[in-house]
Amino acid sequence: TNESVACPDKVGQKWRSIMKITVYNCRDFDERELFLKYEKELGVEIQLCTCAPTQESAALSQGSLCISIITTAMPAELLETFASYGVKYIVTRSIGYDHIDIAAAKRLGITIANSPYGPNGVADYATMLILMTIRKMKSIEMRGAVQDYTLKGLQGRELKDLTVGVIGTGRIGRTVLSNLSGFGCKRIAYDIYENDEVKKSGVHYVTLDEMWQQADVISLHAPLTEENHHMIGEDAISKMKDGVMIINTARGGLIDSEALIRGIESGKIGGAGLDVVENEFGLYYNDRREDILDNRELYLLRSFPNVTVSHHMAFYTDDCVRTVARNAIMGCTYFAEGKENPWEVK
Ligand code: NAI
């Protein structure tokens, strides 16, 4: 739908009353109320649109200094269109910003920002996927649904006997490591920058090769960059332990889906929990139940009894939704006031 909802009142200081923000992909069922509340509290004018930012819907941003988007692709051509409507600041209501052409934005004089929120929602979800995967929860659910109450093939493993490897020890990765500290597993980590707090907590940093050789479970928490695109591919998988389990709540592009599928088919990979997949743009957050999707990998991954797939929703908690909406609008006010903005992508 291309419904656009203009907001009722303009309050606050004079500069703010003319500072307009267009929010794309606004979810009526949870975000709308929040934006209306922050509009009043922060004294800005917010235009709420349920549609995605596209060449067609870009015109809605006319007169807006800032726009807010979600994880829909923002290639150079689309940024150019927004620049032509006078948009100077784009805030993504997400932590990752790999869906935006940052270089093009810089060239066009558009400031890009993200809208971070507490790490616990995603970290809890990743921990849940680890437990679900080692205990074969998808198969248990599938059998229960057809009243098959047998045990054969459902034997799980215990975390105390396993080595869990975390890639990316930033806010989320560190919280996952801390969540895991109560389970008695051996915890190892890899990051391009090692963190002293992590080391002090009994976690051993290893090289990537050591990670592949030692980990029974690998959980990804690094942003997607040009350098680490497909970091888990044919070569890495061949070095991993037999039966390794892979959890991805970071970005689909970190894993080569075809290599992952081959690894599952051969039995090399014993299970996976995937909140994100490659080429999820346009699929996730839409009702596509009558459509034939152009993502064969997703069909295949969903079909495996040992692979749990969810639609990029590890973040989706009450606390995260509240914080992300507020920080998105706060960032716009910092930008308009020329204040230091902690969420600006440098
Ligand atoms: P963060 O910026 O606090 O931490 C990222 C860590 O990854 C940093 O320590 C960084 O040094 C490390 N890193 C960067 N490149 C690396 C590489 N090539 N190899 C290993 N480590 C590398 O970010 P945060 O908040 O922990 O989020 C991590 C990622 O989780 C985000 O970038 C985003 O893609 C994803 N995410 C997914 C969500 C979901 O709903 N599934 C929600 C929120 C974030």
Side-chain angles (χ1 to χ4, degrees):
T1 59
N2 271 356
E3 180 200 351
S4 144
V5 189
C7 294
D9 45 12
K10 299 174 186 176
V11 288
Q13 299 164 12
K14 193 159 181 253
W15 70 262
R16 281 186 169 177
S17 71
I18 56 165
M19 206 270 274
K20 189 170 142 189
I21 304 161
T22 296
V23 172
Y24 284 94
N25 285 108
C26 175
R27 297 188 302 265
D28 273 343
F29 51 88
D30 60 354
E31 288 187 313
R32 187 182 159 78
E33 285 297 304
L34 290 169
F35 282 122
L36 293 177
K37 175 169 151 0
Y38 298 138
E39 178 181 55
K40 285 221 168 73
E41 278 180 20
L42 299 170
V44 292
E45 182 185 343
I46 302 179
Q47 173 178 233
L48 300 174
C49 310
T50 52
C51 58
T54 59
Q55 290 291 356
E56 293 70 41
S57 67
L60 292 167
S61 71
Q62 186 126 37
S64 294
L65 182 67
C66 312
I67 64 164
S68 174
I69 61 166
I70 57 168
T71 47
T72 49
M74 287 298 265
E77 314 81 66
L78 189 51
L79 291 167
E80 274 162 28
T81 307
F82 278 105
S84 75
Y85 286 113
V87 171
K88 295 263 183 277
Y89 181 90
I90 299 179
V91 53
T92 174
R93 301 198 296 291
S94 59
I95 290 175
Y97 43 80
D98 50 277
H99 49 293
I100 305 171
D101 187 335
I102 303 288
K106 215 165 242 172
R107 180 166 48 77
L108 292 161
I110 297 178
T111 301
I112 303 294
N114 67 352
S115 183
Y117 41 90
N120 294 76
V122 181
D124 287 359
Y125 200 92
T127 311
M128 174 186 80
L129 285 179
I130 292 173
L131 288 166
M132 284 178 72
T133 308
I134 67 168
R135 297 305 300 266
K136 305 191 175 176
M137 198 62 206
K138 181 169 175 187
S139 289
I140 294 171
E141 292 258 34
M142 282 173 20
R143 286 198 200 178
V146 294
Q147 300 188 47
D148 173 355
Y149 301 125
T150 57
L151 285 177
K152 194 178 173 192
L154 293 185
Q155 195 172 77
R157 301 183 73 187
E158 297 185 19
L159 267 178
K160 70 166 178 28
D161 302 323
L162 304 180
T163 297
V164 181
V166 162
I167 295 184
T169 54
R171 294 164 351 119
I172 296 171
R174 284 203 298 275
T175 312
V176 170
L177 286 165
S178 146
N179 283 354
L180 290 172
S181 65
F183 286 97
C185 50
K186 184 172 177 202
R187 296 168 301 151
I188 57 175
Y190 170 79
D191 197 303
I192 46 174
Y193 303 108
E194 298 191 356
N195 179 292
D196 287 340
E197 290 303 312
V198 171
K199 284 186 198 165
K200 276 187 218 150
S201 70
V203 175
H204 296 285
Y205 275 102
V206 294
T207 63
L208 268 186
D209 269 346
E210 288 167 337
M211 171 72 68
W212 308 145
Q213 284 154 18
Q214 295 174 24
D216 297 292
V217 179
I218 296 170
S219 190
L220 298 176
H221 301 286
L224 177 63
T225 62
E226 267 172 35
E227 292 72 47
N228 66 16
H229 179 253
H230 283 184
M231 73 186 296
I232 294 190
E234 206 75 60
D235 182 51
I237 291 170
S238 70
K239 294 175 183 163
M240 290 179 192
K241 277 183 154 177
D242 290 344
V244 64
M245 297 179 218
I246 298 174
I247 308 300
N248 192 2
T249 56
R251 282 293 180 268
L254 294 170
I255 302 180
D256 176 348
S257 311
E258 287 185 11
L260 178 72
I261 288 166
R262 279 193 292 274
I264 291 161
E265 285 170 338
S266 72
K268 174 80 183 173
I269 296 172
L274 310 171
D275 186 49
V276 286
V277 291
E278 285 190 282
N279 307 318
E280 64 181 53
F281 289 134
L283 298 183
Y284 286 179
Y285 312 140
N286 295 308
D287 182 349
R288 303 286 306 268
R289 78 183 89 178
E290 303 302 332
D291 300 341
I292 307 300
L293 306 181
D294 59 355
N295 189 328
R296 285 185 174 191
E297 290 81 23
L298 180 58
Y299 279 116
L300 276 171
L301 289 166
R302 295 198 78 96
S303 74
F304 295 123
N306 55 352
V307 178
T308 301
V309 180
S310 58
H311 48 278
H312 200 148
M313 55 183 308
F315 74 94
Y316 197 51
T317 66
D318 49 356
D319 186 75
C320 290
V321 171
R322 237 186 345 256
T323 314
V324 83
R326 187 175 170 84
N327 287 350
I329 303 305
M330 286 287 286
C332 296
T333 66
Y334 291 154
F335 178 72
E337 288 177 318
K339 280 188 184 162
E340 176 68 22
N341 181 351
W343 306 308
E344 204 177 299
V345 176
K346 299 286 185 210

Short mmCIF file of all heavy atoms in Angstrom, two decimals, residues 94-98 116-117 119 122 125 167-174 190-195 205 208 220-225 227-229 231 248-251 254 275-276 285 312-316, ligand 1:
data_model
loop_
_atom_site.label_atom_id
_atom_site.label_comp_id
_atom_site.label_asym_id
_atom_site.label_seq_id
_atom_site.Cartn_x
_atom_site.Cartn_y
_atom_site.Cartn_z
N SER A 94 17.51 0.19 12.23
CA SER A 94 18.20 -1.09 12.39
C SER A 94 19.60 -0.78 12.86
O SER A 94 20.02 0.37 12.85
CB SER A 94 18.26 -1.84 11.05
OG SER A 94 18.96 -1.07 10.09
N ILE A 95 20.32 -1.84 13.25
CA ILE A 95 21.72 -1.64 13.64
C ILE A 95 22.60 -1.72 12.39
O ILE A 95 23.43 -0.86 12.14
CB ILE A 95 22.13 -2.68 14.70
CG1 ILE A 95 21.40 -2.37 16.02
CG2 ILE A 95 23.65 -2.69 14.90
CD1 ILE A 95 21.61 -3.37 17.13
N GLY A 96 22.36 -2.76 11.56
CA GLY A 96 23.14 -2.92 10.33
C GLY A 96 22.74 -1.85 9.31
O GLY A 96 21.59 -1.43 9.26
N TYR A 97 23.72 -1.41 8.51
CA TYR A 97 23.41 -0.43 7.46
C TYR A 97 24.02 -0.84 6.12
O TYR A 97 24.26 -0.01 5.24
CB TYR A 97 23.88 0.98 7.87
CG TYR A 97 25.26 1.01 8.51
CD1 TYR A 97 26.41 0.97 7.73
CD2 TYR A 97 25.40 1.06 9.89
CE1 TYR A 97 27.66 0.98 8.31
CE2 TYR A 97 26.65 1.06 10.49
CZ TYR A 97 27.78 1.03 9.69
OH TYR A 97 29.01 1.02 10.27
N ASP A 98 24.25 -2.16 5.97
CA ASP A 98 24.85 -2.67 4.73
C ASP A 98 23.90 -2.57 3.55
O ASP A 98 24.31 -2.78 2.41
CB ASP A 98 25.30 -4.12 4.94
CG ASP A 98 24.21 -4.97 5.54
OD1 ASP A 98 24.04 -4.96 6.78
OD2 ASP A 98 23.51 -5.63 4.78
N PRO A 116 20.53 2.27 17.05
CA PRO A 116 20.80 1.09 17.86
C PRO A 116 19.86 0.93 19.04
O PRO A 116 19.20 1.89 19.45
CB PRO A 116 22.23 1.29 18.34
CG PRO A 116 22.61 2.65 17.97
CD PRO A 116 21.51 3.31 17.23
N TYR A 117 19.82 -0.25 19.53
CA TYR A 117 18.98 -0.57 20.69
C TYR A 117 19.72 -1.63 21.48
O TYR A 117 20.73 -2.17 21.03
CB TYR A 117 17.61 -1.07 20.22
CG TYR A 117 17.66 -1.99 19.04
CD1 TYR A 117 17.77 -3.36 19.21
CD2 TYR A 117 17.67 -1.47 17.75
CE1 TYR A 117 17.85 -4.21 18.11
CE2 TYR A 117 17.74 -2.31 16.65
CZ TYR A 117 17.84 -3.67 16.83
OH TYR A 117 17.93 -4.49 15.75
N PRO A 119 21.28 -4.87 23.21
CA PRO A 119 21.68 -6.12 22.55
C PRO A 119 20.91 -7.36 23.03
O PRO A 119 20.98 -8.41 22.41
CB PRO A 119 23.16 -6.26 22.92
CG PRO A 119 23.28 -5.56 24.24
CD PRO A 119 22.28 -4.43 24.22
N VAL A 122 18.33 -9.57 20.59
CA VAL A 122 18.97 -10.41 19.57
C VAL A 122 19.80 -11.51 20.25
O VAL A 122 19.81 -12.67 19.82
CB VAL A 122 19.87 -9.57 18.63
CG1 VAL A 122 20.50 -10.46 17.56
CG2 VAL A 122 19.06 -8.46 17.98
N TYR A 125 17.69 -14.28 21.45
CA TYR A 125 17.18 -15.05 20.31
C TYR A 125 18.25 -16.00 19.78
O TYR A 125 17.99 -17.17 19.48
CB TYR A 125 16.74 -14.07 19.22
CG TYR A 125 15.78 -14.63 18.21
CD1 TYR A 125 14.40 -14.52 18.40
CD2 TYR A 125 16.23 -15.27 17.07
CE1 TYR A 125 13.51 -15.02 17.46
CE2 TYR A 125 15.35 -15.78 16.13
CZ TYR A 125 13.99 -15.65 16.33
OH TYR A 125 13.11 -16.15 15.41
N ILE A 167 31.51 -15.27 16.51
CA ILE A 167 32.27 -14.42 15.58
C ILE A 167 31.69 -13.01 15.66
O ILE A 167 30.52 -12.80 15.33
CB ILE A 167 32.21 -14.98 14.14
CG1 ILE A 167 32.92 -16.34 14.12
CG2 ILE A 167 32.86 -14.01 13.15
CD1 ILE A 167 33.02 -16.99 12.76
N GLY A 168 32.51 -12.07 16.11
CA GLY A 168 32.04 -10.70 16.32
C GLY A 168 31.69 -10.52 17.79
O GLY A 168 30.64 -10.98 18.25
N THR A 169 32.60 -9.91 18.55
CA THR A 169 32.36 -9.75 19.99
C THR A 169 32.02 -8.30 20.32
O THR A 169 32.58 -7.69 21.21
CB THR A 169 33.56 -10.24 20.82
OG1 THR A 169 34.74 -9.57 20.35
CG2 THR A 169 33.75 -11.73 20.71
N GLY A 170 31.08 -7.75 19.53
CA GLY A 170 30.55 -6.42 19.82
C GLY A 170 29.46 -6.55 20.87
O GLY A 170 29.45 -7.48 21.67
N ARG A 171 28.49 -5.64 20.82
CA ARG A 171 27.46 -5.61 21.85
C ARG A 171 26.66 -6.91 21.92
O ARG A 171 26.45 -7.48 22.98
CB ARG A 171 26.53 -4.42 21.63
CG ARG A 171 27.22 -3.06 21.82
CD ARG A 171 26.43 -1.90 21.21
NE ARG A 171 25.32 -2.35 20.41
CZ ARG A 171 24.04 -2.08 20.65
NH1 ARG A 171 23.70 -1.35 21.67
NH2 ARG A 171 23.09 -2.52 19.86
N ILE A 172 26.24 -7.40 20.74
CA ILE A 172 25.41 -8.61 20.75
C ILE A 172 26.24 -9.86 21.04
O ILE A 172 25.89 -10.68 21.89
CB ILE A 172 24.63 -8.75 19.42
CG1 ILE A 172 23.66 -7.57 19.26
CG2 ILE A 172 23.89 -10.08 19.36
CD1 ILE A 172 22.99 -7.47 17.91
N GLY A 173 27.38 -9.99 20.35
CA GLY A 173 28.23 -11.17 20.55
C GLY A 173 28.65 -11.31 22.00
O GLY A 173 28.63 -12.42 22.56
N ARG A 174 28.99 -10.19 22.64
CA ARG A 174 29.41 -10.23 24.05
C ARG A 174 28.25 -10.69 24.95
O ARG A 174 28.44 -11.43 25.90
CB ARG A 174 29.87 -8.84 24.53
CG ARG A 174 31.23 -8.46 24.02
CD ARG A 174 31.87 -7.41 24.93
NE ARG A 174 31.12 -6.16 24.98
CZ ARG A 174 31.24 -5.17 24.10
NH1 ARG A 174 32.07 -5.30 23.08
NH2 ARG A 174 30.55 -4.06 24.23
N TYR A 190 36.12 -14.98 17.87
CA TYR A 190 36.97 -14.33 16.86
C TYR A 190 36.42 -12.95 16.57
O TYR A 190 35.21 -12.76 16.45
CB TYR A 190 37.01 -15.15 15.56
CG TYR A 190 37.69 -14.38 14.45
CD1 TYR A 190 39.08 -14.28 14.38
CD2 TYR A 190 36.93 -13.69 13.50
CE1 TYR A 190 39.70 -13.53 13.40
CE2 TYR A 190 37.55 -12.93 12.51
CZ TYR A 190 38.93 -12.85 12.47
OH TYR A 190 39.53 -12.09 11.50
N ASP A 191 37.30 -11.98 16.51
CA ASP A 191 36.92 -10.62 16.12
C ASP A 191 38.16 -9.98 15.51
O ASP A 191 39.29 -10.37 15.84
CB ASP A 191 36.44 -9.82 17.35
CG ASP A 191 35.66 -8.56 16.95
OD1 ASP A 191 36.22 -7.71 16.22
OD2 ASP A 191 34.50 -8.41 17.39
N ILE A 192 37.97 -9.01 14.63
CA ILE A 192 39.14 -8.33 14.09
C ILE A 192 39.79 -7.43 15.15
O ILE A 192 40.95 -7.07 15.04
CB ILE A 192 38.82 -7.55 12.79
CG1 ILE A 192 37.53 -6.73 12.95
CG2 ILE A 192 38.69 -8.49 11.60
CD1 ILE A 192 37.23 -5.83 11.76
N TYR A 193 39.01 -7.06 16.18
CA TYR A 193 39.56 -6.34 17.34
C TYR A 193 39.21 -7.14 18.59
O TYR A 193 38.02 -7.34 18.85
CB TYR A 193 38.96 -4.94 17.47
CG TYR A 193 39.16 -4.09 16.25
CD1 TYR A 193 38.08 -3.78 15.42
CD2 TYR A 193 40.42 -3.59 15.92
CE1 TYR A 193 38.25 -3.01 14.28
CE2 TYR A 193 40.60 -2.81 14.78
CZ TYR A 193 39.51 -2.52 13.96
OH TYR A 193 39.68 -1.76 12.84
N GLU A 194 40.21 -7.55 19.34
CA GLU A 194 39.92 -8.33 20.56
C GLU A 194 39.52 -7.39 21.70
O GLU A 194 39.98 -6.26 21.76
CB GLU A 194 41.15 -9.16 20.93
CG GLU A 194 41.48 -10.16 19.82
CD GLU A 194 42.51 -11.20 20.20
OE1 GLU A 194 43.05 -11.13 21.33
OE2 GLU A 194 42.77 -12.09 19.37
N ASN A 195 38.65 -7.89 22.55
CA ASN A 195 38.10 -7.06 23.62
C ASN A 195 38.57 -7.59 24.98
O ASN A 195 38.41 -8.77 25.29
CB ASN A 195 36.56 -7.12 23.51
CG ASN A 195 35.86 -6.32 24.58
OD1 ASN A 195 35.91 -6.68 25.75
ND2 ASN A 195 35.20 -5.26 24.19
N TYR A 205 40.13 -15.96 22.64
CA TYR A 205 40.13 -15.55 21.23
C TYR A 205 40.96 -16.53 20.44
O TYR A 205 42.02 -16.97 20.90
CB TYR A 205 40.71 -14.14 21.08
CG TYR A 205 39.68 -13.06 21.32
CD1 TYR A 205 39.65 -12.36 22.52
CD2 TYR A 205 38.75 -12.74 20.34
CE1 TYR A 205 38.71 -11.36 22.75
CE2 TYR A 205 37.80 -11.74 20.56
CZ TYR A 205 37.79 -11.06 21.76
OH TYR A 205 36.85 -10.08 21.96
N LEU A 208 40.52 -17.57 12.82
CA LEU A 208 39.36 -18.16 12.14
C LEU A 208 39.57 -19.65 11.88
O LEU A 208 38.65 -20.45 12.06
CB LEU A 208 39.10 -17.43 10.82
CG LEU A 208 38.12 -16.25 10.88
CD1 LEU A 208 37.84 -15.73 9.49
CD2 LEU A 208 36.80 -16.61 11.58
N LEU A 220 27.10 -16.24 14.54
CA LEU A 220 27.64 -15.06 13.84
C LEU A 220 27.06 -13.75 14.39
O LEU A 220 25.83 -13.61 14.49
CB LEU A 220 27.31 -15.15 12.36
CG LEU A 220 27.91 -16.35 11.62
CD1 LEU A 220 27.43 -16.38 10.17
CD2 LEU A 220 29.43 -16.30 11.65
N HIS A 221 27.95 -12.81 14.71
CA HIS A 221 27.51 -11.51 15.24
C HIS A 221 28.36 -10.37 14.71
O HIS A 221 28.57 -9.37 15.40
CB HIS A 221 27.53 -11.55 16.78
CG HIS A 221 26.64 -12.62 17.29
ND1 HIS A 221 25.27 -12.51 17.28
CD2 HIS A 221 26.92 -13.87 17.74
CE1 HIS A 221 24.75 -13.64 17.72
NE2 HIS A 221 25.72 -14.48 18.01
N ALA A 222 28.87 -10.52 13.49
CA ALA A 222 29.67 -9.46 12.86
C ALA A 222 28.81 -8.75 11.83
O ALA A 222 27.91 -9.36 11.25
CB ALA A 222 30.90 -10.07 12.19
N PRO A 223 29.08 -7.48 11.59
CA PRO A 223 28.34 -6.80 10.50
C PRO A 223 28.80 -7.36 9.16
O PRO A 223 29.89 -7.94 9.08
CB PRO A 223 28.78 -5.34 10.65
CG PRO A 223 30.10 -5.41 11.34
CD PRO A 223 30.08 -6.62 12.21
N LEU A 224 27.97 -7.22 8.15
CA LEU A 224 28.37 -7.67 6.80
C LEU A 224 29.19 -6.56 6.14
O LEU A 224 28.73 -5.42 6.05
CB LEU A 224 27.12 -7.97 5.97
CG LEU A 224 27.36 -8.37 4.52
CD1 LEU A 224 28.14 -9.67 4.43
CD2 LEU A 224 26.02 -8.52 3.78
N THR A 225 30.40 -6.92 5.71
CA THR A 225 31.24 -5.94 5.02
C THR A 225 31.76 -6.59 3.73
O THR A 225 31.54 -7.79 3.51
CB THR A 225 32.46 -5.56 5.90
OG1 THR A 225 33.24 -6.75 6.13
CG2 THR A 225 32.05 -4.97 7.23
N GLU A 227 34.73 -7.32 3.12
CA GLU A 227 35.78 -8.28 3.50
C GLU A 227 35.22 -9.62 3.96
O GLU A 227 35.80 -10.66 3.71
CB GLU A 227 36.68 -7.73 4.61
CG GLU A 227 37.57 -6.55 4.23
CD GLU A 227 36.78 -5.27 4.03
OE1 GLU A 227 35.94 -4.96 4.89
OE2 GLU A 227 36.99 -4.59 3.01
N ASN A 228 34.10 -9.56 4.70
CA ASN A 228 33.64 -10.84 5.28
C ASN A 228 32.42 -11.44 4.55
O ASN A 228 31.83 -12.40 5.03
CB ASN A 228 33.37 -10.70 6.78
CG ASN A 228 32.21 -9.75 7.08
OD1 ASN A 228 31.42 -9.43 6.20
ND2 ASN A 228 32.11 -9.31 8.32
N HIS A 229 32.08 -10.91 3.38
CA HIS A 229 31.01 -11.49 2.58
C HIS A 229 31.34 -12.98 2.31
O HIS A 229 32.47 -13.29 1.93
CB HIS A 229 30.91 -10.72 1.25
CG HIS A 229 29.85 -11.24 0.34
ND1 HIS A 229 30.15 -11.96 -0.81
CD2 HIS A 229 28.50 -11.17 0.41
CE1 HIS A 229 29.02 -12.30 -1.40
NE2 HIS A 229 28.00 -11.83 -0.69
N MET A 231 32.00 -15.30 4.41
CA MET A 231 33.11 -15.81 5.24
C MET A 231 32.91 -17.29 5.56
O MET A 231 33.87 -18.02 5.75
CB MET A 231 33.31 -14.97 6.51
CG MET A 231 32.28 -15.13 7.59
SD MET A 231 32.53 -13.97 8.95
CE MET A 231 34.12 -14.49 9.56
N ASN A 248 22.93 -18.00 12.61
CA ASN A 248 23.15 -16.67 12.01
C ASN A 248 22.01 -15.73 12.36
O ASN A 248 20.89 -15.86 11.84
CB ASN A 248 23.32 -16.78 10.49
CG ASN A 248 23.84 -15.49 9.88
OD1 ASN A 248 24.09 -14.53 10.60
ND2 ASN A 248 23.98 -15.47 8.56
N THR A 249 22.30 -14.79 13.25
CA THR A 249 21.33 -13.71 13.50
C THR A 249 21.94 -12.38 13.08
O THR A 249 21.47 -11.32 13.49
CB THR A 249 20.94 -13.62 15.00
OG1 THR A 249 22.14 -13.47 15.77
CG2 THR A 249 20.19 -14.83 15.48
N ALA A 250 23.02 -12.45 12.25
CA ALA A 250 23.70 -11.20 11.85
C ALA A 250 23.21 -10.76 10.47
O ALA A 250 22.27 -9.96 10.37
CB ALA A 250 25.21 -11.38 11.92
N ARG A 251 23.83 -11.27 9.42
CA ARG A 251 23.39 -10.93 8.06
C ARG A 251 23.57 -12.15 7.16
O ARG A 251 24.58 -12.85 7.24
CB ARG A 251 24.22 -9.77 7.49
CG ARG A 251 23.82 -8.39 8.01
CD ARG A 251 22.42 -7.97 7.55
NE ARG A 251 22.03 -6.66 8.05
CZ ARG A 251 21.36 -6.42 9.17
NH1 ARG A 251 20.99 -7.43 9.94
NH2 ARG A 251 21.04 -5.19 9.52
N LEU A 254 26.84 -13.21 5.13
CA LEU A 254 28.04 -13.77 5.77
C LEU A 254 28.22 -15.24 5.38
O LEU A 254 29.31 -15.78 5.47
CB LEU A 254 27.94 -13.66 7.30
CG LEU A 254 27.95 -12.24 7.88
CD1 LEU A 254 27.62 -12.28 9.37
CD2 LEU A 254 29.32 -11.60 7.67
N ASP A 275 18.19 -16.66 11.31
CA ASP A 275 17.21 -15.57 11.37
C ASP A 275 17.34 -14.68 10.15
O ASP A 275 16.46 -13.86 9.88
CB ASP A 275 17.42 -14.74 12.65
CG ASP A 275 16.34 -13.70 12.83
OD1 ASP A 275 15.15 -14.06 12.72
OD2 ASP A 275 16.66 -12.52 13.07
N VAL A 276 18.45 -14.83 9.44
CA VAL A 276 18.70 -14.00 8.25
C VAL A 276 19.19 -14.91 7.13
O VAL A 276 19.84 -15.91 7.39
CB VAL A 276 19.77 -12.92 8.55
CG1 VAL A 276 19.21 -11.80 9.41
CG2 VAL A 276 21.00 -13.52 9.22
N TYR A 285 8.89 -9.47 6.00
CA TYR A 285 7.92 -8.48 6.48
C TYR A 285 6.76 -8.27 5.49
O TYR A 285 5.98 -7.36 5.65
CB TYR A 285 8.57 -7.13 6.84
CG TYR A 285 9.81 -7.28 7.71
CD1 TYR A 285 10.93 -6.48 7.50
CD2 TYR A 285 9.85 -8.22 8.72
CE1 TYR A 285 12.06 -6.64 8.29
CE2 TYR A 285 10.98 -8.39 9.50
CZ TYR A 285 12.08 -7.60 9.28
OH TYR A 285 13.20 -7.77 10.05
N HIS A 312 14.00 -12.69 10.04
CA HIS A 312 14.76 -11.52 10.50
C HIS A 312 13.99 -10.79 11.60
O HIS A 312 13.59 -9.63 11.44
CB HIS A 312 15.04 -10.57 9.32
CG HIS A 312 16.17 -9.62 9.60
ND1 HIS A 312 17.03 -9.16 8.64
CD2 HIS A 312 16.59 -9.04 10.76
CE1 HIS A 312 17.91 -8.34 9.17
NE2 HIS A 312 17.67 -8.25 10.46
N MET A 313 13.81 -11.49 12.68
CA MET A 313 13.00 -10.92 13.75
C MET A 313 13.62 -11.07 15.12
O MET A 313 12.94 -10.89 16.13
CB MET A 313 11.61 -11.53 13.71
CG MET A 313 11.60 -13.03 13.78
SD MET A 313 9.93 -13.64 13.65
CE MET A 313 9.13 -12.69 14.92
N ALA A 314 14.93 -11.36 15.15
CA ALA A 314 15.60 -11.51 16.45
C ALA A 314 15.47 -10.22 17.26
O ALA A 314 15.43 -10.24 18.48
CB ALA A 314 17.06 -11.86 16.24
N PHE A 315 15.37 -9.09 16.59
CA PHE A 315 15.29 -7.79 17.26
C PHE A 315 13.90 -7.52 17.84
O PHE A 315 13.73 -6.56 18.59
CB PHE A 315 15.58 -6.68 16.24
CG PHE A 315 14.44 -6.46 15.29
CD1 PHE A 315 13.47 -5.49 15.55
CD2 PHE A 315 14.28 -7.25 14.17
CE1 PHE A 315 12.39 -5.31 14.71
CE2 PHE A 315 13.19 -7.08 13.31
CZ PHE A 315 12.26 -6.10 13.59
N TYR A 316 12.91 -8.34 17.45
CA TYR A 316 11.53 -7.92 17.64
C TYR A 316 11.01 -8.16 19.05
O TYR A 316 10.28 -9.13 19.31
CB TYR A 316 10.65 -8.60 16.58
CG TYR A 316 9.31 -7.94 16.42
CD1 TYR A 316 9.25 -6.57 16.20
CD2 TYR A 316 8.13 -8.64 16.49
CE1 TYR A 316 8.02 -5.94 16.08
CE2 TYR A 316 6.91 -8.03 16.36
CZ TYR A 316 6.87 -6.66 16.16
OH TYR A 316 5.66 -6.04 16.05
P1 NAI B 1 28.72 -4.12 17.11
O1 NAI B 1 29.21 -3.07 16.15
O2 NAI B 1 28.58 -3.78 18.55
O3 NAI B 1 29.70 -5.38 17.01
C1 NAI B 1 30.16 -5.91 15.81
C2 NAI B 1 31.49 -6.60 16.10
O4 NAI B 1 31.88 -7.29 14.92
C3 NAI B 1 32.62 -5.62 16.45
O5 NAI B 1 33.29 -6.06 17.62
C4 NAI B 1 33.53 -5.67 15.23
O6 NAI B 1 34.90 -5.46 15.54
C5 NAI B 1 33.28 -7.09 14.74
N1 NAI B 1 33.65 -7.31 13.36
C6 NAI B 1 33.61 -6.45 12.32
N2 NAI B 1 34.04 -7.05 11.20
C7 NAI B 1 34.37 -8.31 11.56
C8 NAI B 1 34.88 -9.42 10.85
N3 NAI B 1 35.16 -9.36 9.55
N4 NAI B 1 35.09 -10.57 11.52
C9 NAI B 1 34.83 -10.66 12.84
N5 NAI B 1 34.35 -9.65 13.57
C10 NAI B 1 34.11 -8.49 12.93
O7 NAI B 1 27.36 -4.65 16.50
P2 NAI B 1 26.18 -5.42 17.25
O8 NAI B 1 25.22 -4.46 17.81
O9 NAI B 1 26.77 -6.45 18.14
O10 NAI B 1 25.45 -6.13 16.01
C11 NAI B 1 26.10 -7.11 15.24
C12 NAI B 1 25.31 -7.38 13.95
O11 NAI B 1 24.09 -8.03 14.26
C13 NAI B 1 24.87 -6.11 13.21
O12 NAI B 1 25.88 -5.59 12.38
C14 NAI B 1 23.68 -6.58 12.41
O13 NAI B 1 24.10 -7.00 11.13
C15 NAI B 1 23.17 -7.78 13.20
N6 NAI B 1 21.83 -7.54 13.77
C16 NAI B 1 20.80 -8.39 13.47
C17 NAI B 1 19.54 -8.20 14.01
C18 NAI B 1 18.41 -9.16 13.78
O14 NAI B 1 17.25 -8.83 14.06
N7 NAI B 1 18.67 -10.37 13.30
C19 NAI B 1 19.26 -7.05 14.84
C20 NAI B 1 20.42 -6.28 15.18
C21 NAI B 1 21.65 -6.50 14.63
#
